Amino acid sequence: MNKLDALKFFVIAAETLNFRESSIKLSVSPSVVTRTIAELEKQLGEPLFKRNTRSIFLTSFGELFLPRARRLLEDAEKLFQTAKDDNEMKGIVRITSLRFPKHEQVLYELLTALRPYPELIIDWRLDMMKLDTIEHRIDIGIRVGREPNPNFIIKNITQVEHILVASPELVARLGAPTDLEDLRQRYPFSGLINPETQKIFEFMSDAVNTFVPRHIEFYCTDPYAEIQAALAGKTVIQSSDFICREYLASGQLIKPLPELRQEKWQFYLYRPYQTMTPKRVTVIFSLLEQILRKHFIS
């Protein structure tokens, strides 16, 4: 017998003095109410109700026991509610993110919004590769990818288009390429190394096809380091309009093949499905969505 449930049955029965009405309020059958009250009386060693063919009355013991039962139920409710309230916005929330434009500003705005919760700890993991949600105990992630994992709760923020870019000086020095094959043959490229495989990420000519540059003259594991190689006029890079936007706008970088259309990916926020998600995670997830949309959706 669940003793707290039994006390609840007793209090409602004492208020209605009708087991059938009590069963309706409790969403159980009258026999369950009768059986539970009988088990409670057996535990207490005293009858709680007197019954005749027409009515139910509290015994003297039942009248004395009723206010104590009510207080106990109220205290239990306060105990659970207080524990829930105290823990909802306390503890650690682990967030994995790739480096993206304005990521420092996004983090600053998130931390500023969380000032009312001084016992909330943010663990911000800046990593090129997606961390495993179970192994690394990740609560929230920010990524760019082809198709977000359907096992996650996803909020798509914006589309990201892969592009080939170079400095105007490099294009002027080598001459504008006539097509992708000419670019592949004559131009130096940089290779972005996948930290997991230690191999260079594929070069995409479109959403399906790939190509292999003839000359790779710079290697790195950081997309932002690649941009410096392009700005210095050393290589063509495969990057994205997402992180090259300001350089394209200023003319520091250009597309050597402006008509070439490459694959588009999603920039998205995600969290794993869980049977029970702490409020602190859902609050931060919602805040991040608002902040990211403010910066990346015009």
Side-chain angles (χ1 to χ4, degrees):
M1 180 179 62
N2 183 310
K3 292 181 180 179
L4 282 177
D5 281 348
L7 288 178
K8 184 177 179 181
F9 278 44
F10 163 66
V11 169
I12 290 177
E15 291 171 349
T16 62
L17 294 176
N18 186 305
F19 282 9
R20 181 171 293 279
E21 186 179 341
S22 299
S23 70
I24 293 171
K25 287 189 173 186
L26 292 163
S27 300
V28 297
S29 67
S31 63
V32 171
V33 175
T34 302
R35 185 171 64 250
T36 302
I37 295 298
E39 290 177 0
L40 180 59
E41 289 175 329
K42 184 177 179 181
Q43 284 279 328
L44 295 170
E46 290 276 357
L48 294 167
F49 296 95
K50 288 183 178 179
R51 306 167 182 81
N52 59 32
T53 55
R54 292 175 299 176
S55 304
I56 298 174
F57 304 93
L58 279 169
T59 63
S60 297
F61 177 81
E63 290 177 346
L64 292 173
F65 187 67
L66 179 59
R68 293 167 58 195
R70 281 179 173 147
R71 283 196 301 271
L72 185 59
L73 287 173
E74 289 171 1
D75 290 345
E77 183 65 27
K78 289 178 183 177
L79 175 66
F80 286 113
Q81 188 59 48
T82 300
K84 181 181 177 183
D85 292 343
D86 286 349
N87 291 322
E88 275 183 338
M89 297 305 288
K90 288 182 180 179
I92 296 177
V93 175
R94 292 183 173 87
I95 303 169
T96 177
S97 174
L98 78 169
R99 187 180 174 192
F100 58 88
K102 302 182 183 178
H103 83 272
E104 296 95 340
Q105 181 65 25
V106 168
L107 177 57
Y108 170 79
E109 291 180 23
L110 174 65
L111 294 174
T112 302
L114 294 175
R115 281 176 182 166
Y117 312 108
E119 295 184 73
L120 189 58
I121 300 168
I122 298 298
D123 182 343
W124 185 270
R125 309 286 182 94
L126 200 61
D127 201 288
M128 185 175 173
M129 305 308 296
K130 183 189 290 185
L131 299 181
D132 184 86
T133 55
I134 297 175
E135 181 183 350
H136 298 99
R137 293 177 293 169
I138 296 300
D139 298 301
I140 298 171
I142 304 171
R143 288 288 140 189
V144 170
R146 284 189 175 94
E147 295 291 336
N149 191 323
N151 296 320
F152 294 148
I153 296 172
I154 302 292
K155 297 293 181 181
N156 286 320
I157 305 301
T158 190
Q159 281 194 323
V160 176
E161 183 179 1
H162 285 279
I163 55 175
L164 297 173
V165 295
S167 69
E169 292 77 15
L170 181 63
V171 175
R173 188 170 73 247
L174 297 180
T178 56
D179 54 26
L180 182 59
E181 180 61 19
D182 184 32
L183 183 75
R184 184 186 78 83
Q185 289 285 346
R186 293 196 300 112
Y187 273 72
F189 280 74
S190 68
L192 184 63
I193 299 171
N194 183 329
E196 288 186 332
T197 64
Q198 296 302 307
K199 295 180 180 179
I200 296 173
F201 282 106
E202 290 183 327
F203 290 85
M204 303 296 298
S205 60
D206 52 37
V208 177
N209 300 303
T210 63
F211 68 95
V212 178
R214 185 173 179 182
H215 309 285
I216 295 183
E217 298 185 4
F218 180 77
Y219 297 86
C220 66
T221 56
D222 178 18
Y224 286 81
E226 266 202 314
I227 290 177
Q228 298 308 310
L231 290 169
K234 183 170 181 60
T235 64
V236 175
I237 66 170
Q238 177 179 259
S239 188
S240 71
D241 59 350
F242 191 52
I243 66 175
C244 292
R245 194 166 296 162
E246 64 176 289
Y247 302 110
L248 290 166
S250 67
Q252 291 174 274
L253 294 176
I254 62 173
K255 298 178 183 180
L257 294 170
E259 303 304 317
L260 183 66
R261 289 290 175 263
Q262 294 182 270
E263 189 175 16
K264 290 185 177 181
W265 287 9
Q266 292 293 332
F267 176 56
Y268 63 93
L269 177 70
Y270 70 92
R271 62 182 174 88
Y273 281 105
Q274 293 178 314
T275 54
M276 184 179 295
T277 302
K279 182 179 178 181
R280 61 183 178 273
V281 173
T282 59
V283 167
I284 291 174
F285 190 73
S286 179
L287 281 171
L288 271 174
E289 182 185 2
Q290 294 172 32
I291 295 168
L292 290 169
R293 290 190 185 281
K294 181 181 76 173
H295 285 289
F296 298 108
I297 296 181
S298 56

